C-alpha cells in the first residue's frame, strides 16, 4: 500500500513504449482531382537485439523470411543497439510471415510508400521522394513542407519485448500532410 505509486510508475515504464509516428504524405492531384501521386501504407522490419534472448535462434527463424543469411543477421544482432532496420517497405506476405513467426526482438513499423498511378506521366514535374518520404525533386521538393506528414512521438502500450499492442489510429490520421491540386490535366 505504501509503495503503490512507485510500483504503478514501474509498471507503466515496463508496458509503455515511446514510438515516433510519421503521418502520411499528402497526395498530388491534377485539376480534375485525379491522383498523380499518393502514399500507401506499408511495413518495415526492425530489430531490437537487446530484447532478444537467443540471437542465433532469431537469425535462423528470420533469415529465410528476409532472404538473408543467418550469419549476416547474427552479425547485425551483435551490435547491441535498441533499434536496427532490417528491411524497409516489405511486401504484405513477408510482413504477415514475420508477424506470425513472433520472433522475440523483431518488430514491424508502419511507413508509407509513394505511388505514382500514371507512372512516368509528368514525372519530371512531379519529381520523387527518398526512402524516408522527403521530397527530392520537382513538386515533391518544392511543396515538401505542405505535403509532408507531421511526425510526433506517441506513448503506446507494449509488451515485455517492446512490441506495440495498441495505438491511437485517429491521432495518426490527423498528422497527414496536405493534398495539393495542380493546374495541369492528366
Amino acid at each position: 500500500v505504501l509503495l503503490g505509486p512507485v510500483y504503478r510508475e514501474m509498471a507503466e515504464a515496463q508496458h509503455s513504449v515511446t514510438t515516433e509516428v510519421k503521418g502520411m504524405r499528402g497526395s498530388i492531384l491534377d485539376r480534375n482531382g485525379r491522383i498523380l501521386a499518393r502514399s500507401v501504407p506499408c511495413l518495415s522490419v526492425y530489430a531490437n537485439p537487446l530484447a532478444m534472448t537467443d540471437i542465433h535462434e532469431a537469425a535462423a527463424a528470420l533469415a529465410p523470411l528476409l532472404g538473408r543469411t543467418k550469419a549476416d543477421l547474427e552479425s547485425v544482432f551483435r551490435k547491441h543497439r535498441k533499434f536496427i532496420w532490417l528491411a524497409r517497405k516489405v511486401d504484405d506476405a513477408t510482413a504477415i510471415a514475420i508477424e506470425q513467426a513472433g520472433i522475440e526482438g523483431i518488430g514491424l513499423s508502419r511507413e508509407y510508400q509513394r505511388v505514382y498511378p500514371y507512372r512516368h506521366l509528368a514525372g519530371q514535374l512531379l519529381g520523387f521522394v527518398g526512402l524516408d518520404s522527403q521530397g527530392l525533386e520537382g513538386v515533391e521538393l518544392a511543396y515538401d513542407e505542405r505535403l509532408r506528414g507531421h511526425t510526433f512521438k506517441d506513448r503506446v502500450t507494449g509488451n515485455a519485448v517492446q512490441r506495440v499492442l495498441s495505438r491511437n489510429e485517429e491521432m495518426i490520421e490527423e498528422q497527414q500532410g496536405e493534398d495539393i491540386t495542380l493546374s495541369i490535366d492528366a
Side-chain angles (χ1 to χ4, degrees), residues 9-61:
E9 208 171 287
M10 287 171 61
E12 283 179 19
Q14 278 185 325
H15 296 288
S16 305
V17 180
T18 301
T19 60
E20 190 174 270
V21 180
K22 291 183 179 183
M24 187 167 63
R25 193 171 178 83
S27 296
I28 299 175
L29 312 167
D30 78 347
R31 69 179 181 194
N32 297 315
R34 291 189 200 110
I35 297 173
L36 300 174
R38 68 183 180 108
S39 293
V40 294
C42 61
L43 295 170
S44 292
V45 184
Y46 67 88
N48 177 357
L50 301 178
M52 294 178 180
T53 53
D54 185 358
I55 65 169
H56 305 291
E57 187 180 302

Side-chain angles (χ1 to χ4, degrees), residues 162-179:
Q162 306 293 306
R163 183 164 288 157
V164 174
L165 299 175
S166 65
R167 168 175 278 136
N168 185 355
E169 295 295 329
E170 290 175 15
M171 182 69 160
I172 293 171
E173 288 178 20
E174 291 175 12
Q175 303 306 316
Q176 181 175 335
E178 184 180 335
D179 291 345

Side-chain angles (χ1 to χ4, degrees), residues 118-138:
Y118 291 102
R119 296 185 173 227
H120 301 293
L121 178 71
Q124 290 181 333
L125 172 71
L126 296 175
F128 57 92
V129 298
L131 189 60
D132 290 320
S133 294
Q134 76 278 13
L136 297 178
E137 289 288 334

